[in-house]
Amino acid sequence: MVKTAITALIARKVWSSSGLPALEIEVFIDKRISARAITQSGLSGGYVDPILNSENICANLHKMLDCKIQYIDKILTPQLMGQRIDDQLIIDSILSLSTQNNKLSHADTAAISIAVADLAARYYAIPLWKYIQQEYIEPVMPLPEIEIFGGGAHASYASTVQDVMVIAPGAENYQHALCIGAEIFQRIKNQLVKAGKPTGLCEKGGLWPSYDHFRHALEMVSEAIAHSGLTAGKDIGIAIDFAADGFYETGHYWLNGNEGCGQTSDDYIATLTSLIKEFPIMSLEDPLAVEDRAGYRKLMQLSGKQVQIISDDLLDSDPRLVQSEDAALLCNAIMIKPAKSGTLTKTISALSHARSKGWGAIMAGRSIDSEDTAVMHLAVGLGVGQFKIGSLARAERSAKFNEGIRIAEASRDLVFAGAKELPKGM
């Protein structure tokens, strides 16, 4: 057996940030070198979907993971044993077959794929980000999005909109951008405490909604930005993940829940364009429902040169969907989630197709997460100029941001992306 061949693979059950069991993969070259990765998942499109609303959720998830571990032990591991750790394409091809027969999810195979890449990096004694660095692509320190308010599925739909965040493209460097986001977060948290309002945390560490109307959230963040000493709309701005499928029903959008009347696509888009003019909004993620492709085209025509319009649910980090001709009319940036792509190879492919269209890109984790920090290495090594993981207020989130600090410290020649990957014209 060659020196760089996989000699063992262990799948075990661990615990995620949501208090639910998750799958951890550990891959070995003999007994001296190993690497681990933990599955990420979400409250939509994740491995927990089929049983989230059932009784005995943890017990059912344990049974599901037991079946997956059995499949990995008996079927997948024998296929991977002896494969060279630097033959990523071959390994990822094997992993893709296991999702086609529905034995494993994309989140599961992504963890295995990333663990193998990390094992290779450890074998060659280089950081993961440097091992996966692509030819002709400059690695960068990404511009972080810091969640201020969480809502939607991440906060029991206490508000319809999923994430209200800040980004600071005018920051001096990566660490400075984190400091700016943290300052906005703490300023608003203290404001809510003084007003006697709750300041609990949602799934990704943002403040649990303490506003009566979505507009009030934008007002609070805008007021905090006004006191930041930076120029709103240039140095710092607001990023919003609408997750609009969560408040779209029978052809109408219910932005503020049951308050008022549902809006048609045209009326809702008019509301969005009005908010863009009034507030320092730089980025809109999933602003419309997946089925409302005509709405996406219209929003792109009206606002595509003013703000970043990101697709997550529409394109699902799937290279086949990203390369379609129609995709260029729907958005100008893509959310890259390895746990949705399924393998490192497909993640790189989706990113490559997005770049060929001149899009911006955001590397992101998922709401059900862990202490695993590999996704930050993927952002840096693949030159993805933006990074979204949540807020700084939960350890599994800050772990990724902190890993970025370590990477920047160890590699001082890495350039901070800043506003470079925001769509041209902003």
Side-chain angles (χ1 to χ4, degrees):
M1 187 175 288
V2 295
K3 283 185 178 180
T4 57
I6 295 172
T7 58
L9 188 150
I10 296 174
R12 62 174 67 93
K13 288 181 286 186
V14 294
W15 291 94
S16 73
S17 61
S18 297
L20 296 170
L23 195 65
E24 179 177 76
I25 303 297
E26 187 165 10
V27 193
F28 293 80
I29 299 177
D30 62 48
K31 295 181 179 179
R32 295 178 298 106
I33 306 175
S34 70
R36 298 188 298 266
I38 301 175
T39 53
Q40 292 183 332
S41 192
L43 296 176
S44 62
Y47 71 94
V48 299
D49 280 354
I51 52 179
L52 259 184
N53 296 317
S54 67
E55 294 183 2
N56 303 317
I57 293 175
C58 283
N60 289 333
L61 277 173
H62 273 293
K63 290 178 183 177
M64 178 188 288
L65 292 182
D66 284 339
C67 291
K68 292 186 177 188
I69 289 172
Q70 185 177 28
Y71 173 81
I72 291 170
D73 289 344
K74 293 186 176 180
I75 306 297
L76 187 58
T77 296
Q79 295 177 24
L80 294 177
M81 289 282 284
Q83 297 290 345
R84 291 172 57 97
I85 54 173
D86 43 11
D87 281 342
Q88 192 77 42
L89 183 60
I90 293 175
I91 289 169
D92 286 352
S93 297
I94 294 170
L95 294 174
S96 292
L97 290 175
S98 65
T99 60
Q100 290 174 16
N101 61 24
N102 294 320
K103 296 298 183 180
L104 298 177
S105 71
H106 283 170
D108 302 324
T109 55
I112 301 171
S113 179
I114 292 168
V116 170
D118 196 19
L119 179 61
R122 290 168 187 267
Y123 177 82
Y124 293 114
I126 57 176
L128 175 58
W129 72 264
K130 186 166 287 189
Y131 175 75
I132 64 169
Q133 184 181 342
Q134 300 293 293
E135 192 175 8
Y136 308 120
I137 298 296
E138 188 77 21
V140 296
M141 289 309 304
L143 171 66
E145 295 185 358
I146 307 297
E147 184 179 273
I148 306 300
F149 290 109
H154 300 159
S156 300
Y157 289 96
S159 74
T160 52
V161 173
Q162 189 156 280
D163 300 314
V164 178
M165 302 160 286
V166 293
I167 52 175
E172 297 172 5
N173 51 44
Y174 171 78
Q175 176 76 293
H176 186 214
L178 291 177
C179 289
I180 291 171
E183 182 64 33
I184 301 297
F185 179 90
Q186 294 298 336
R187 187 182 294 274
I188 292 176
K189 181 180 178 182
N190 291 338
Q191 179 184 338
L192 293 173
V193 169
K194 289 179 181 178
K197 294 186 176 181
T199 55
L201 301 181
C202 72
E203 196 79 37
K204 295 194 292 184
L207 296 166
W208 194 278
S210 294
Y211 49 83
D212 301 321
H213 191 289
F214 171 59
R215 180 186 180 84
H216 295 165
L218 299 180
E219 290 171 348
M220 278 189 280
V221 176
S222 296
E223 182 181 348
I225 287 175
H227 291 90
S228 69
L230 298 173
T231 303
K234 181 181 178 182
D235 296 329
I236 183 173
I238 298 172
I240 307 167
D241 178 1
F242 283 90
D245 275 311
F247 54 88
Y248 180 75
E249 189 176 349
T250 61
H252 287 74
Y253 292 90
W254 302 80
L255 181 58
N256 294 296
N258 293 326
E259 179 184 327
C261 298
Q263 293 180 302
T264 64
S265 180
D266 286 346
D267 288 342
Y268 172 64
I269 289 171
T271 296
L272 293 181
T273 56
S274 176
L275 292 173
I276 290 168
K277 292 176 182 177
E278 185 175 356
F279 296 99
I281 295 171
M282 291 183 168
S283 182
L284 305 177
E285 179 185 344
D286 288 343
L288 293 133
V290 168
E291 68 178 66
D292 190 6
R293 299 174 80 88
Y296 268 102
R297 293 189 192 95
K298 182 173 182 179
L299 183 62
M300 270 291 291
Q301 291 171 353
L302 293 173
S303 303
K305 292 183 179 179
Q306 288 79 48
V307 297
Q308 181 170 247
I309 298 175
I310 307 166
S311 166
D312 179 11
D313 295 339
L314 192 66
L315 301 179
D316 240 10
S317 299
D318 185 331
R320 293 171 302 175
L321 297 177
V322 179
Q323 67 180 330
S324 67
E325 292 183 12
D326 188 45
L329 304 174
L330 306 176
C331 54
N332 55 22
I334 186 172
M335 191 67 63
I336 297 290
K337 293 181 176 179
K340 281 190 171 185
S341 293
T343 64
L344 183 56
T345 299
K346 287 185 177 178
T347 298
I348 293 171
S349 178
L351 184 57
S352 176
H353 289 308
R355 284 193 169 116
S356 71
K357 297 177 185 294
W359 289 356
I362 304 91
M363 183 65 70
R366 306 215 61 195
S367 58
I368 299 175
D369 208 336
S370 70
E371 69 275 15
D372 193 316
T373 62
V375 68
M376 173 56 77
H377 283 263
L378 268 58
V380 174
L382 299 179
V384 181
Q386 300 171 70
F387 185 73
K388 177 191 174 190
I389 201 70
S391 189
L392 287 157
R394 289 183 57 144
E396 76 279 359
R397 313 292 157 178
S398 60
K400 278 81 163 170
F401 291 128
N402 291 342
E403 186 70 1
I405 293 171
R406 299 182 194 103
I407 291 172
E409 183 181 272
S411 308
R412 296 184 183 277
D413 56 337
L414 286 173
V415 174
F416 173 55
K420 293 182 181 67
E421 272 213 15
L422 291 173
K424 294 177 178 62
M426 284 185 61

